[in-house]
Amino acid sequence: MKTPETQKKETLERIASALERLAPDLSADSDMLDAPAYIWRDARLRAVEKLDAQPLELFVGTESQRNALLENSRRHAEGLPAHDVLLWGSRGMGKSGMVKAVIADLQARGKNIALIEVERDDIIDIAPLLRRLSKIDRRFVLFCDDLSFETDESHYRRLRSVLEGGVEPRPANCRFYVTSNRRHLVPREMRENELHDSINARDVLDDRLALADRFGLSLGFHACDQSTYLAIVTAYASRHDLEFDAKDAVAWATGRGARSGRVAWQFIQELAGRQGKTL
């Protein structure tokens, strides 16, 4: 017959065993000193062998944003004070590509920095990753691409707490870079509805704006005009030794109802295909 103490001990051992099975074994994940980039998904890390990035000089029309992001990232890579960054604005203007290009450029210059892509739904489970990164002698940028929030408060408040204000301090070697089409990360109609239904509208507005305010550096990307669009096409064409007609490039953008860096790159892909060249 088992004594109460024995039964209690066995119960605790079963609980501990169950928790070990549920918790991710981060020690079995990727080596955090070698790869240029990683993906954090389902509470596990996967190494990316090559960071897919365009050369920095191809970011035409967004030079001021590029320079600000590069300088902030350089400081972070060198262990100096640096900001979390929110890159917001028009679709297709190079927000995501610029983050990757800046990190790749610093790596090419020998800086010990890596990019970690974090999906929106994985923000809620980011604490174990931050604890692990704090023990590694390397600088990291945690990258949340195309981020926005609807009514899911758990993700919204978790990111806000991580950026600033949580009980557990955020590692000094980690910074968050977030891209979004929305300046405040939440839709305008959501803010207006909550203001209309709330008792204290100002408190609701302050709560919604609190997340965007926690980014020390906010970089806006705006739709480009025709001359800027053609300058982007020209930069791409020169890089890949392609000939093009400006009227053809404008017609391509007109057919898509937009002018942007993404549309310019799609035109270059079409152009290369026509001319039988690889990119």
Side-chain angles (χ1 to χ4, degrees):
M1 181 109 180
K2 296 181 180 179
T3 64
E5 288 298 324
T6 301
Q7 291 177 333
K8 181 179 179 180
K9 182 179 179 180
E10 290 179 351
T11 299
L12 291 175
E13 289 176 349
R14 288 197 298 271
I15 293 173
S17 178
L19 290 175
E20 287 178 359
R21 290 194 298 271
L22 290 172
D25 180 14
L26 290 179
S27 64
D29 284 338
S30 304
D31 186 335
M32 297 302 297
L33 295 174
D34 293 335
Y38 304 83
I39 294 174
W40 173 252
R41 190 164 299 160
D42 299 325
R44 297 196 67 84
L45 279 169
R46 178 171 66 83
V48 176
E49 295 183 0
K50 183 180 179 181
L51 184 55
D52 183 20
Q54 295 275 12
L56 276 179
E57 61 268 20
L58 291 181
F59 289 86
V60 176
T62 52
E63 288 86 355
S64 62
Q65 296 93 322
R66 179 195 67 194
N67 294 339
L69 186 65
L70 180 60
E71 173 62 14
N72 188 73
S73 303
R74 180 196 64 79
R75 294 176 188 173
H76 180 49
E78 295 177 359
L80 298 172
H83 299 292
D84 298 303
V85 184
L86 174 61
L87 302 90
W88 59 272
S90 299
R91 299 187 301 273
M93 285 305 297
K95 299 183 294 293
S96 304
M98 185 178 291
V99 171
K100 292 183 286 187
V102 161
I103 299 302
D105 183 80
L106 291 172
Q107 290 174 346
R109 289 193 254 162
K111 303 298 183 182
N112 190 20
I113 189 171
L115 190 70
I116 301 178
E117 183 180 271
V118 179
E119 294 287 342
R120 175 190 181 278
D121 291 340
D122 292 304
I123 293 173
I124 200 74
D125 297 318
I126 207 166
L129 174 62
L130 292 176
R131 283 194 290 269
R132 181 184 179 188
L133 296 179
S134 68
K135 302 174 184 177
I136 299 173
D137 185 20
R138 195 178 190 187
R139 314 300 286 189
F140 297 97
V141 166
L142 285 79
F143 177 43
C144 303
D145 190 23
D146 196 20
L147 189 65
S148 63
F149 298 94
E150 301 299 333
T151 58
D152 193 336
E153 290 296 318
S154 60
H155 295 80
Y156 170 85
R157 295 190 183 279
R158 179 56 184 152
L159 179 57
R160 193 175 71 177
S161 176
V162 169
L163 288 173
E164 182 183 344
V167 174
E168 187 174 15
R170 191 242 306 243
N173 64 336
C174 297
R175 288 293 176 269
F176 279 84
Y177 285 9
V178 169
T179 69
S180 178
N181 295 330
R182 299 165 176 167
R183 184 172 186 175
H184 298 297
L185 298 172
V186 292
R188 179 183 298 274
E189 60 272 15
M190 180 179 177
R191 301 199 303 273
E192 291 176 347
N193 290 340
E194 289 188 337
L195 289 174
H196 181 268
D197 296 337
S198 65
I199 296 175
N200 192 328
R202 185 66 219 180
D203 286 349
V204 173
L205 182 60
D206 287 345
D207 182 65
R208 284 302 177 194
L209 299 183
L211 178 56
D213 285 347
R214 278 170 163 75
F215 293 91
L217 183 59
S218 180
L219 302 174
F221 290 71
H222 308 286
C224 63
D225 56 21
Q226 183 165 299
S227 61
T228 303
Y229 165 73
L230 289 174
I232 296 171
V233 172
T234 300
Y236 279 136
S238 176
R239 175 78 180 187
H240 297 286
D241 194 25
L242 297 170
E243 296 180 358
F244 78 98
D245 181 84
K247 293 181 180 180
D248 191 14
V250 171
W252 179 270
T254 302
R256 278 142 193 80
R259 292 186 295 261
S260 69
R262 180 179 297 144
V263 172
W265 177 245
Q266 290 168 347
F267 174 68
I268 289 298
Q269 290 178 307
E270 171 67 18
L271 207 61
R274 294 177 192 171
Q275 298 180 20
K277 296 182 179 180
T278 58
L279 296 174

